Amino acid sequence: STMFARRARDPEVIRDILKQTGSRLDPEGVALYSRLAGNSDHVTATLGMMANWDLQTLERDMPRLRTPLALVAGLRDEMVRPSVARNVADRVSSAYVVPVASLGHLAHEEAPGRIAELILSLAAGERPARAPMRPTRVPAASLATSIAGERS
């Protein structure tokens, strides 16, 4: 994590990472991400959090979820592609995908007002004006495989 943080201090490295997200940040946003990625404590905590995710249990238990689940998917997201949200929606009967055009993985950073409005409307029980994007029925790939496969 220290080595990554050191490399992330290079503006070119940050630009490459952000490009992979499909998000377009203003210079201030790029500078903030550069500060975060250049902080070895932050990188260590982030990697530790992800290392403790229990995706197998999540995958096993997902189909039992009955609470409405809105999966907001930035259509430019290259880190966790919208197809992953579609795979989850295909496995969880209470889930639906809310596609967000022209935004990437960091949609909340690109368009905070737009995303805040969307979250508030979803929390109020409103559905987007556009019909939810539902996948055609295909054999469901495992969540862990989908996430790993989409990144490669």
Side-chain angles (χ1 to χ4, degrees), residues 69-135:
L69 175 62
L71 300 160
V72 178
L75 296 181
R76 293 177 46 86
D77 191 341
E78 293 294 323
M79 299 295 271
V80 180
R81 292 192 176 129
S83 60
V84 174
R86 287 191 299 270
N87 286 342
V88 170
D90 201 30
R91 299 184 53 144
V92 179
S93 63
S94 63
Y96 58 98
V97 178
V98 180
V100 182
S102 73
L103 297 178
H105 191 73
L106 304 172
H108 59 289
E109 301 286 341
E110 292 177 276
R114 181 175 165 198
I115 297 302
E117 286 177 22
L118 175 60
I119 291 169
L120 290 172
S121 69
L122 292 169
E126 299 171 19
R127 288 276 181 113
R130 189 171 136 187
M133 178 174 66
R134 295 290 294 177

Side-chain angles (χ1 to χ4, degrees), residues 55-56 58-60 62 83-84 87-88 91 139-150:
L55 295 178
Q56 286 76 23
L58 176 63
E59 180 180 13
R60 181 195 70 217
M62 266 191 325
S83 60
V84 174
N87 286 342
V88 170
R91 299 184 53 144
S142 75
L143 178 63
T145 303
S146 295
I147 291 172
E150 293 295 341

